[in-house]
């Protein structure tokens, strides 16, 4: 299956991004595309110098998490101009009404002083990302489901109006970890933009920081390491433990039967530290070699352009544009 997914080069990446997204990507990467969506990042206030820096550090982090540029196409969105062009063409088959209903737009617009048209159009650019590459599956966390459903509607509308052009992609959410909660407010998703700093474990956090964050995770007044109503905090830690160790939920619960939250939290912290240790080591190596990173991204950009070019041409042709 050809998969495509994207990630923004803003904000430090956290355990939720890894568990809900990057980890699945690495597992299914052959013949697939992964995009650092820098064009999406300018939809809210940002700093140009940070954007440049974050683009390179995210590329290093993704490779450190197991994306292999020899096996997949790893590229920066702005390095392939087809995405911005596809965005414009698709905006003619996207309606104001459907974009206005997007939850992410409503939430993020509420947080901005200046609401840009880019923020409103964000899902159309995302649809272009996906559709230009004849994507079959889009692995994302639960929060992105609505955008992929919109992409399906846009694809169907374009196909109906101009003839079969796009594959209508499926949304793929992971069975486990589609929504990792903030450790301080487990009902909210872990997030660098919407969550709490103390409740967000960054992939590049030092071991001691991870210990502190996990130990101060909000739980409940009980003492059983079990899922159940009112136990979102513990359930969240059980999912994290399960991903970090590869054991299923029942096995994790069985192992902590009769033990208190203190022991459990310490072990979760150590499991997370072991999970990120090799990622951090590889990240440091790559980050110290900018020339190699640029080379990898240049290869990715070329492969990405070769992948999207024919579809973009077909779009222009079917829509009645003359070609030079
Ligand atoms: P943030 O919430 O930190 O601003 P984001 O969701 O806005 O991040 P990205 O960093 O681009 O934006 O997200 C990359 C991927 O990580 C997406 O597929 C998203 O669904 C997933 N993801 C983000 N947060 C979580 C979470 N807490 N649990 C599971 N998956 C998540
Ligand atoms: N909107 C997504 C990032 C994103 C994406 C994509 C995901 C941009 N283009 C294409 C999947 C497919 C986010 O905020 N996580």
């Amino acid at each position: 299956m050809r998969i495509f997914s994207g990630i923004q080069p803003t904000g430090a990446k956290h355990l939720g991004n890894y568990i809900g997204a990057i980890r699945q990507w690495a597992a299914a990467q052959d013949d697939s595309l992964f995009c650092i969506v820098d064009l999406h990042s300018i939809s809210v206030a940002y700093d140009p110098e940070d954007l440049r820096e974050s683009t390179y550090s995210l590329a290093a982090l993704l490779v450190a998490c197991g994306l292999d540029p020899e096996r997949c196409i790893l590229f920066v969105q702005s390095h392939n101009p087809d995405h911005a062009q596809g965005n414009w063409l698709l905006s003619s088959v996207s309606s104001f009404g459907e974009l206005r209903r997007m939850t992410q737009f409503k939430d993020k617009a509420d947080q901005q002083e200046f609401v840009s048209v880019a923020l409103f159009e964000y899902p159309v650019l995302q649809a272009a990302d996906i559709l230009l590459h004849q994507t079959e599956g889009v692995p994302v966390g639960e929060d992105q489901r609505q955008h992929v459903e919109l992409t399906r509607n846009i694809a169907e509308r374009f196909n109906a109006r101009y003839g079969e052009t796009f594959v209508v992609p499926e949304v793929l959410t992971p069975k486990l970890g589609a929504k990792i909660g903030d450790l301080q407010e487990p009902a909210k998703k872990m997030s660098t933009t919407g969550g709490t700093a103390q409740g967000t474990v960054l992939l590049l956090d030092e071991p001691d920081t991870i210990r502190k964050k996990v130990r101060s995770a909000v739980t409940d007044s009980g003492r059983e390491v079990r899922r159940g109503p009112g136990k979102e905090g513990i359930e969240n830690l059980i999912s994290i433990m399960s991903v970090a160790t590869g054991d299923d939920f029942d096995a994790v619960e069985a192992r902590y039967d009769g033990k208190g939250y203190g022991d459990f939290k310490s072990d979760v912290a150590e499991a997370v530290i072991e999970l990120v240790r090799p990622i951090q080591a590889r990240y440091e190596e790559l980050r110290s070699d900018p020339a190699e990173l640029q080379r990898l991204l240049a290869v990715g950009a070329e492969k990405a352009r070769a992948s999207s070019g024919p579809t973009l041409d077909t779009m222009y042709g079917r829509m009645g544009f003359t070609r030079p």
Side-chain angles (χ1 to χ4, degrees):
M1 187 186 234
R2 187 169 180 79
I3 66 178
F4 184 107
S5 202
I7 185 163
Q8 300 199 60
T10 38
K13 295 299 141 181
H14 52 76
L15 207 54
N17 297 135
Y18 180 73
I19 295 177
I22 308 171
R23 186 176 64 108
Q24 340 284 327
W25 303 354
Q29 62 181 296
D30 293 292
D31 192 33
S32 291
L33 297 102
F34 303 100
C35 185
I36 297 174
V37 294
D38 54 352
L39 296 172
H40 276 111
S41 297
I42 66 167
S43 56
V44 292
Y46 77 102
D47 176 67
E49 206 40 61
D50 285 351
L51 178 62
R52 215 178 332 266
E53 182 62 25
S54 308
T55 301
Y56 288 123
S57 55
L58 181 56
L61 187 66
L62 292 175
V63 176
C65 287
L67 289 185
D68 177 352
E70 303 266 318
R71 290 169 62 194
C72 66
I73 303 179
L74 172 63
F75 72 109
V76 177
Q77 192 181 33
S78 67
H79 295 182
N80 180 359
D82 293 358
H83 290 242
Q85 295 186 59
N87 175 35
W88 180 249
L89 299 186
L90 290 181
S91 64
S92 71
V93 290
S94 309
S95 79
F96 186 82
E98 65 191 347
L99 291 180
R100 193 174 43 188
R101 284 194 294 276
M102 292 292 116
T103 317
Q104 180 181 291
F105 171 70
K106 290 190 282 190
D107 290 350
K108 292 207 173 171
D110 274 346
Q111 297 161 16
Q112 313 303 315
E113 210 170 294
F114 176 85
V115 179
S116 69
V117 174
L119 187 64
F120 187 67
E121 258 218 296
Y122 182 115
V124 183
L125 177 59
Q126 182 165 354
D129 294 343
I130 297 168
L131 299 177
L132 280 171
H133 297 278
Q134 303 296 346
T135 301
E136 294 163 303
V138 186
V140 282
E142 200 49 52
D143 60 308
Q144 292 298 312
R145 174 181 297 279
Q146 197 184 34
H147 288 168
V148 183
E149 308 260 320
L150 174 75
T151 301
R152 292 171 55 88
N153 292 341
I154 292 175
E156 279 164 359
R157 200 173 299 140
F158 190 100
N159 285 347
R161 214 174 272 181
Y162 299 109
E164 284 301 312
T165 306
F166 301 125
V167 171
V168 180
E170 301 293 324
V171 51
L172 309 171
T173 42
K175 282 185 232 31
L176 179 61
K179 186 174 171 196
I180 295 297
D182 183 289
L183 299 184
Q184 292 295 319
E185 295 178 34
K188 275 197 189 163
K189 73 163 191 164
M190 186 179 283
S191 158
T192 39
T193 46
T196 67
Q198 186 65 13
T200 303
V201 177
L202 304 181
L203 290 174
L204 298 177
D205 269 344
E206 301 278 340
D208 269 342
T209 310
I210 297 178
R211 284 188 192 105
K212 278 196 202 106
K213 288 180 177 174
V214 176
R215 283 206 197 122
S216 66
V218 166
T219 48
D220 52 78
S221 56
R223 57 172 71 121
E224 284 185 24
V225 179
R226 268 191 200 290
R227 291 155 286 174
K231 297 178 74 79
E232 290 79 13
I234 280 293
E235 184 158 339
N236 194 34
L237 292 175
I238 294 176
S239 347
I240 294 172
M241 186 65 157
S242 165
V243 170
T245 57
D247 296 332
D248 63 24
F249 283 30
D250 291 336
V252 175
E253 289 179 357
R255 191 151 15 104
Y256 291 92
D257 194 23
K259 299 199 180 129
Y261 288 170
D263 284 350
F264 177 56
K265 283 183 178 178
S266 304
D267 289 359
V268 172
E270 295 314 311
V272 171
I273 292 167
E274 287 317 309
L275 181 73
V276 300
R277 191 191 302 281
I279 296 175
Q280 296 186 352
R282 181 90 179 96
Y283 170 83
E284 291 306 333
E285 235 172 78
L286 284 158
R287 203 63 193 96
S288 62
D289 190 354
E292 172 62 4
L293 216 46
Q294 279 182 340
R295 188 192 67 80
L296 293 177
L297 292 177
V299 172
E302 194 177 317
K303 290 199 278 184
R305 287 194 294 262
S307 158
S308 57
T311 302
L312 184 67
D313 262 348
T314 307
M315 289 170 74
Y316 274 122
R318 299 233 164 109
M319 292 177 85
F321 288 96
T322 53
R323 306 302 286 143

